[in-house]
Amino acid sequence: MAPKKKDAAPADALEPGPEEEEEEGPGKATICLAVRDAKDLPAELETIVGFTGFCKENRSSPAASSSAPDSWELPKDKIIRLQNQDLYNDLVEKPLVVSLRDAGADNALVGRAQVSLLPLLHDQTEVTAELELTLTPEYHAKWYPEAEPAEDPKKKGGKDKKGAAAPEEPKEVVPKFTGETPPPTKITVSVTVEDLIGPVEDRNCWTTMTLEVPGVFSLPDGLVTLGVASPDDFSAHPIAYRASLMGESMVGTLTKAAEVPEEGSEEAPTDPDGLRAWAERFKISMSFAEKRMVRYRGKAFVEEFRQMLNSAGGVWFYFNAEEKLSSDPKKPNPPEVGEMSRHCAGAAWLDLRELIAPKIHQAASCCALEPSSEVIKEAGESEPLLQSSGTFVRLSLELSLDVTPDEPEELKIHPKKLLPHHDVNTLPDSADSAKMYREAVELGFNAICNDCRGGVRGGVQGAVTQLKEVGRYEELKTGLRNSVVQVFRERLRKDTSAVPGKPLRGKARDDFISSTYSYLQLTVAEVLDELRAAPQAPERPAPVEPVDEGSRPGSRPSIVVAQGPIGSKSSPTDEVQQVPQEEAPVLSVAAILAESIASRKAREVLGVATNESMRCSRLAYEAELVGNWDRAAGLLQNRFLLEELNLREDPHEWIAFAKFCGRSRGRSAAAEEALRQAVRLLADGKNVHEDTALEVDLFLACLLLDRGRHEEAMEVFQSWHEKDFANGTFRFLLGLALFLRCRFEEAQPYLESVGKPREWFQGLPDNNAVINKLKAFRQTDGPLDVAPYAAICDKLLSFGLPSLVFTFLDQTNTLPKASLDSERMVLIDAKASSMDRDFAAACNRLESLLAGGHASKEAWRLAGESYLQIQEFDRALQALQTSLSFEQKFDDPAIYIRLGSVLLVKKRWKQAREAFLRSIQWQATAEAWSGVAYAEYRSEEFQTSYEALCEANVLDNERADVWAQLCLVHLRTENWDAADHACRHCLGLEPQCEDLLLEAASEYHRRERQLTLAEACARRALQVRDSGQGHGVLADVLAQNGQAENSVLEAQIAIKMLSDQPELRKAIFAKALKLCEELDDAPLAESLHAVQKIADEQHEKTDR
């Protein structure tokens, strides 16, 4: 049965389209159309196929009635268009729409589908697709025909026994298909061209440009009311509006407000974002006929666009208002129209710099409309009309092409290049060099065993002397030296940190030499072990018969020594008593080998302790980097427990620990105790440089001053001041101590004279003379030199005492404001605030310095770290990137870790990974490898993420966040046992990574595995931070684990805490309500509804 007939004219009207050509020819594109094989129509229909959208409507002749027609004939099977910009724009903007119509029902629409012709530009000469038609409701209902009811003889005639009309029984619906849903109706369409349509020069470089201009908002009230009788009729408005963006023109018209404010509603908000949102809803705005435009752009445009991004970084949106001629000569336009039009014309700047980042294709912004410079000049001190009204326009530009060219392959940093290769050696084999060295060592020991059989006196030096006597020393030394040089060359050639043509320097050089030395030493030890295991040759020749005195003519009397053990001493056999001289012990080869093994074991023990000390130092650095001060303190304290290194007897270690205690804040007592230990060592005669002794004394006195023990500190400063009267540091500290003791007048000359050179104090016997000279020359000496004050303040910050710096800067009034505003003093002030954990104050102090445009890279770095701490990530990103743009780069891996952390928050995974890898180039840290792993995990590069996590675990296997990420990676790769092991290990480390724990719980829930572990992760996350999201995840896990009632209770808590997130609450509420229905628990459902209602009311109050 055909659907009810509609008016014929609208149903049968042909849709218009772009202009087409009648004949083919040069400069024209011919696009051939073909259609076939419609399948699974809901009924047998006499159908017509039509093409619209990209072209004028082109309808076929009707095909024979069928549910699978395949015999349409198009009156025009080609579309001929001029090959110009209009064609290219239509190809990217307008799809080809295929419609199927019912010829038996006045060409009523059966269904539609569409196909994009974009590939015809540069990729394909044919587009063939089997399209699924979206049926109209009338024809979709034909899949469910109504069955005719069986005739009841008792109700024949349509009346019952009493003569009343029989009620109509509902008709049964019998689907015309099997299964749950009807099969999709499909049709095959083919579009072909002879050659690619796009310009040849654009073949490898082109893009589509999408412009969106929703409108201009918050227009001046005086403008939108000109000639307007009612807020719904703008026909008499005397001004025409035009705009342009990226060369595209737009025509605008006034549009009534989207909503009408209710009576008694609150006034417009005062904050900028809220005011703009309010203006979009309740004020008359300007809308454009084309709110969204898609255009084709070629290679020339792409190159110009890239140049524009490099130079200007954005484009202007131009808005023009022009007076219209009056349609009624008797009613001319108001006289103020012309002036109003000029004042309301303006431009808005669309910043496109974010497109410079790779993989970023869209830039959208809310841009203020600014008047012309002439209007601003005329306004003078008053605010121009557009600015006073807060007029703005919403703009969006999107490109399909990544305008930033791909980074050259040689400049890319691949994680796998930084990972050590444990299994496959891709470099040439080094076995020859290793064998050569081993043979040289064996030859040396064999020579020692053969040439020193009779024993060695004098240890190593005795063996060297004996080898020289037999002529073997030079030969052995040359062979061993050549083999060692060859080993160094091979290892240097394969060292990944070595840059060809550049010498190794600093830490890289030390690490290389240390690792090579360890290898050489280990090889020597292995050869010694093999020699010990081998059978030993006789250690001495047979005893020699004693020679009687005088047996040789002219010989001197000799002392005959009885045969005994090698190295033993015996009494002479004759009566001549001769006092023996002190001789070096004679050692056998076995004794030498045994001694070497003992030395090796001692070195191994020392090496283990040294490695453990270095590990603790490195992990303490990382812990301090992320603000985990308790762990850092514990690791540094563990170093003092390594008996082999005896660090407790090193004053430098105690000084370093005291500085850490100062930086960590709240550990001043521990810092004092550490300094007391250093003082004890110095008093016991520990030999250190005099500067170290002075540093300990001043550090301890400054710490006492900071802790309020002024008299003790003053006593120390006074003693040093008496020893060196002109020393600026001693004068500063003594003056600061006097100031804190409230002896302000005494303190002032000490502080004021800090910046004076030593020559200035010549001839001054005491401080009174200094005061008199200061008064006499105060006007002529000029401003104080900032450098000495800055150096002393930096020293106080290195002690971890920012409060003393604040006292000097904010209270003593020693330096004038101009000096305090210098970059060096501003940096010191900001560093002190940052050390005191007042990062907002640090940012405020640096703002004026950064705004001046001449800030140093250190200022930008400090600003970036401070912005990161207060979670202003956009400003942090800008500051950190600016600090790294200076020619002289930082050699601190921490700044790249900070940058990577900001980029992770901004979800720029690739850039974050690059930043962490650059940090690893300076120093490998678990924090950096963890960042690489997280970025790769979010990019779904699970294998690379796993490798990075392994590297992080090698460096620090006590990081709960690394184990949590390992759990997630194993879950995503379905490595169940490893995931469970990693999760348990993570939970055993008391993790603080709330987000990762919740994600792990959600992943276990999604995989329907280990719900006990999922619950443990969710509950641990809630212990770290009580959040609505955490309760929501726990509710899901409990529900899946069969604890429905507990799940609903957790859901109620989640709903209460998520009152400002209605969409998330809605999902949680729906799942909890379903559980209540399954439990058939009406009171529980009622309490759930009550909680949801309270949350809705709170959300409404917040919105108002």
Side-chain angles (χ1 to χ4, degrees), residues 374-386:
E374 295 180 0
V375 173
I376 295 175
K377 188 175 180 180
E378 291 176 8
E381 295 183 358
S382 61
E383 199 172 17
L385 185 59
L386 288 178

Side-chain angles (χ1 to χ4, degrees), residues 802-1048:
S803 56
L804 295 182
V805 176
F806 289 140
T807 300
F808 169 71
L809 294 177
D810 301 336
Q811 299 180 32
T812 62
N813 296 324
T814 303
L815 296 177
K817 187 177 185 305
S819 298
L820 292 175
D821 289 339
S822 63
E823 177 173 356
R824 191 164 182 186
M825 298 309 297
V826 169
L827 268 177
I828 288 173
D829 195 357
K831 286 180 182 177
S833 297
S834 178
M835 185 176 290
D836 206 33
R837 313 292 188 266
D838 191 354
F839 299 103
C843 295
N844 294 335
R845 192 70 179 95
L846 289 168
E847 280 183 359
S848 59
L849 179 62
L850 301 180
H854 302 290
S856 64
K857 66 173 185 177
E858 182 61 28
W860 284 106
R861 181 198 65 79
L862 182 58
E865 293 186 355
S866 299
Y867 284 132
L868 173 61
Q869 295 295 335
I870 62 176
Q871 299 186 359
E872 291 192 17
F873 300 114
D874 291 331
R875 302 180 74 175
L877 179 60
Q878 178 189 3
L880 291 173
Q881 288 178 335
T882 304
S883 70
L884 292 172
S885 66
F886 285 79
E887 183 176 355
Q888 186 178 2
K889 304 298 183 184
F890 288 98
D891 58 358
D892 183 8
I895 187 171
Y896 296 101
I897 292 177
R898 304 291 192 206
L899 177 60
S901 301
V902 176
L903 291 169
L904 287 181
V905 174
K906 303 294 289 182
K907 298 183 179 180
R908 299 182 184 179
W909 311 126
K910 182 178 179 182
Q911 292 174 275
R913 183 197 68 176
E914 299 296 327
F916 286 119
L917 290 177
R918 293 191 186 280
S919 173
I920 293 169
Q921 284 183 318
W922 288 106
Q923 178 181 341
T925 58
E927 179 70 18
W929 278 118
S930 175
V932 172
Y934 188 82
E936 294 295 275
Y937 175 77
R938 292 304 177 197
S939 302
E940 298 190 351
E941 297 288 343
F942 300 124
Q943 181 60 34
T944 311
S945 176
Y946 171 72
E947 292 174 358
L949 289 171
C950 290
E951 292 298 319
N953 226 349
V954 168
L955 294 171
D956 185 0
N957 63 352
E958 296 178 2
R959 287 182 60 116
D961 60 327
V962 172
W963 286 105
Q965 290 186 67
L966 276 171
C967 174
L968 288 170
V969 169
H970 287 313
L971 284 174
R972 296 295 293 273
T973 55
E974 299 184 356
N975 192 356
W976 310 124
D977 293 339
D980 297 345
H981 169 74
C983 184
R984 292 189 181 95
H985 206 112
C986 170
L987 292 172
L989 294 173
E990 297 184 358
Q992 301 295 316
C993 46
E994 172 219 359
D995 294 339
L996 293 175
L997 289 170
L998 289 180
E999 189 170 356
S1002 299
E1003 194 67 23
Y1004 271 121
H1005 167 257
R1006 187 173 70 87
R1007 302 277 184 169
E1008 298 184 359
R1009 288 186 49 82
Q1010 290 290 0
L1011 298 180
T1012 304
L1013 284 178
E1015 183 179 351
C1017 288
R1019 293 193 183 278
R1020 176 59 192 173
L1022 289 173
Q1023 289 178 8
V1024 176
R1025 187 174 72 91
D1026 194 16
S1027 65
Q1029 183 183 3
H1031 286 285
V1033 172
L1034 181 57
D1036 291 340
V1037 173
L1038 292 174
Q1040 195 174 45
N1041 206 18
Q1043 303 179 46
E1045 185 174 352
N1046 290 335
S1047 173
V1048 175

